[in-house]
Amino acid sequence: MPLSSSLSLLPLRRAPLPLPLPPTSNYPPPPPPRRSRILLPPPPKRRGAKRASGSRPRAVAAETGMAAPAPTLLEYMGQAGTADDLVVLVAHIQSACKRIAALVASPGNAELSRAKAGGGAVAAGRDAPKPLDELSNEIILSSLQRSGKVAVMASEENDLPILVSNEGPYVVVTDPLDGSRNIEVSIPTGTIFGIYNRLVELDHLPEEERAQLNSLQSGTHLVASGYVLYSSATIFCISFGAGTHGFTLDHSTGEFVLTHPSIQIPPRGQIYSVNDARYFDWPEGLRKYIDTIRQGKGQHPKKYSARYVCSLVADFHRTLIYGGVAMNPRDHLRLVYEANPLSFLAEQAGGRGSDGKSRILSIQPVKLHQRLPLFLGSMEDMVELESYGDVQQKVNPGYEV
């Protein structure tokens, strides 16, 4: 299916705030699931206190000790005092991700996920894009343009950053559809993004230079970052620099609802995630580390298990919840679009992101598509891993899969 025809099937919404997803099936919808709820402790009783008429349901729940509905993503941001401009931007990002979730789950995605005929590597050394990658990229770009809050967008799908406007307060970097090669076999995929403030001190520079430098900010300057996992559930994980929180898409309402507040990655896990087929290309330090932990002879006395999806968002999400280490030891993953946003989330959950030697967020990007090894996980596991020293894979043969 030509890209232009595919795009015509995905009309862009014109409203400034996200709209509900259109139906994706002709069959009647299933009965709505019960809404996730957070239990609130009953407040102390006050003599003579009366409930004001017309009070909101959450206030009623708090006064009576009943379970209050879990907040949606936008409600959570409002309660946390998030800046209005950032609320609008995240609203448009979540709207785009709902559309991508519907696209990924649609019957036509198998054709869209296939590589272009004759497609090869592109100029920046990136993987050849697929139509589904390009569609996801267009969906995100159009949402960012409509938000009115973005100055620059840099995407893994574009060789150069895009100057969206001169006045937008934020810069967005994104991998629109991580793991897209897995679509045909229904393995989880995801969207990764990071948000920076626009560097106003660069406003006097030519457009191309200004866009480039805004996109090459250190991860320590992130205002927010997140990922959306498209799997059995669609989960939106995000951090604004005060913890990492997970929201699950409620298909009965079309809203992302808080289901994983204040995620804390366990200090140590019992799972490592890496492509073991590359074992003989690994350096001695990494082989020794893996051999040691899977025999239960490391600092943790239990034997580790291997779990590997080959989808970065999926492997990281499992690691975030269960602990352990997710890694790709070769110079493969992108600092700007993948390593920085996910390392920010890991640190906000009490974990760590490393290239095997240094903290990821302390690395200053010098190229838009800069690649590096990436290790993400529990703090104690990461410290033990780094203690082996030689864990970065320098032998880097071209792998077909």
Side-chain angles (χ1 to χ4, degrees):
M1 180 184 294
L3 179 58
S4 58
S5 299
S6 302
L7 284 172
S8 66
L9 298 178
L10 296 166
L12 301 178
R13 302 182 183 89
R14 302 294 182 183
L17 289 176
L19 299 174
L21 280 173
T24 57
S25 171
N26 293 324
Y27 292 97
R34 295 182 63 184
R35 185 76 174 272
S36 301
R37 296 179 180 274
I38 292 179
L39 295 178
L40 299 176
K45 295 182 179 180
R46 293 178 296 167
R47 292 184 179 179
K50 295 182 179 180
R51 177 172 60 86
S53 60
S55 59
R56 298 186 305 170
R58 294 185 191 281
V60 172
E63 289 186 8
T64 60
M66 297 173 60
T72 66
L73 173 57
L74 299 185
E75 287 174 342
Y76 173 84
M77 294 176 70
Q79 294 167 7
T82 308
D84 291 344
D85 286 343
L86 189 54
V87 172
V88 172
L89 173 55
V90 172
H92 281 78
I93 291 175
Q94 76 159 5
S95 179
C97 291
K98 290 176 190 177
R99 295 182 64 190
I100 295 172
L103 178 65
V104 166
S106 69
N109 67 27
E111 181 180 351
L112 291 173
S113 68
R114 296 189 182 102
K116 292 179 177 179
V122 294
R126 298 177 289 110
D127 300 329
K130 302 178 181 66
L132 197 58
D133 295 310
E134 294 178 348
L135 281 171
S136 301
N137 195 48
E138 290 295 328
I139 289 170
I140 291 177
L141 175 59
S142 63
S143 289
L144 297 183
Q145 289 171 329
R146 292 200 311 275
S147 76
K149 304 300 179 183
V150 178
V152 176
M153 168 185 161
S155 169
E156 186 270 328
E157 293 301 320
N158 301 119
D159 287 327
L160 297 173
I162 298 171
L163 186 66
V164 179
S165 75
N166 290 318
E167 302 300 328
Y170 297 112
V171 174
V172 176
V173 297
T174 182
D175 181 352
L177 193 59
D178 169 72
S180 59
R181 69 174 60 187
N182 294 323
I183 288 287
E184 282 193 275
V185 289
S186 299
I187 288 178
T189 55
T191 295
I192 305 171
F193 65 89
I195 302 173
Y196 297 91
N197 286 316
R198 182 183 103 239
L199 299 174
V200 294
E201 60 268 28
L202 303 178
D203 287 351
H204 67 285
L205 296 175
E207 289 186 359
E208 184 175 334
E209 184 179 1
R210 187 195 328 157
Q212 184 91 356
L213 292 177
N214 268 291
S215 304
L216 293 176
Q217 296 187 55
S218 164
T220 55
H221 296 150
L222 278 162
V223 173
S225 78
Y227 64 81
V228 181
L229 174 66
Y230 309 116
S231 185
S232 56
T234 300
I235 299 178
F236 194 122
C237 244
I238 192 166
S239 176
F240 301 98
T244 296
H245 312 281
F247 300 79
T248 301
L249 183 61
D250 183 342
H251 290 282
S252 68
T253 63
E255 296 287 350
F256 283 101
V257 178
L258 181 63
T259 51
H260 298 75
S262 301
I263 297 171
Q264 284 293 304
I265 185 170
R268 182 178 288 279
Q270 203 177 334
I271 296 172
Y272 73 93
S273 177
V274 68
N275 188 347
D276 273 329
R278 313 306 182 203
Y279 179 89
F280 294 103
D281 293 327
W282 293 345
E284 182 180 354
L286 183 57
R287 289 202 306 268
K288 185 176 180 181
Y289 169 73
I290 295 296
D291 289 343
T292 300
I293 63 172
R294 63 187 179 188
Q295 294 178 75
K297 296 180 179 179
Q299 295 176 10
H300 190 45
K302 294 185 178 180
K303 295 180 180 180
Y304 278 52
S305 296
R307 299 286 187 273
Y308 182 60
V309 179
C310 192
S311 176
L312 178 59
V313 171
D315 283 316
F316 176 67
H317 182 72
R318 182 195 55 250
T319 304
L320 194 64
I321 302 301
Y322 293 145
V325 184
M327 67 186 90
N328 190 323
R330 60 192 178 107
D331 291 331
H332 180 71
L333 297 173
R334 297 155 183 87
L335 174 59
V336 173
Y337 310 112
E338 297 164 322
N340 270 336
L342 296 185
S343 294
F344 185 79
L345 289 166
E347 288 197 7
Q348 289 297 318
R352 179 173 170 83
S354 169
D355 68 349
K357 295 181 179 179
S358 306
R359 177 189 180 220
I360 289 289
L361 297 184
S362 67
I363 300 173
Q364 174 60 51
V366 294
K367 294 189 298 184
L368 202 57
H369 297 278
Q370 181 175 340
R371 294 177 185 253
L372 78 176
L374 180 60
F375 302 84
L376 297 159
S378 299
M379 183 61 74
E380 292 179 15
D381 284 305
M382 293 295 293
V383 170
E384 183 177 1
L385 167 70
E386 290 178 339
S387 71
Y388 283 76
D390 185 18
V391 297
Q392 295 179 330
Q393 178 183 334
K394 298 303 181 184
V395 177
N396 197 21
Y399 300 125
E400 291 299 323
V401 179

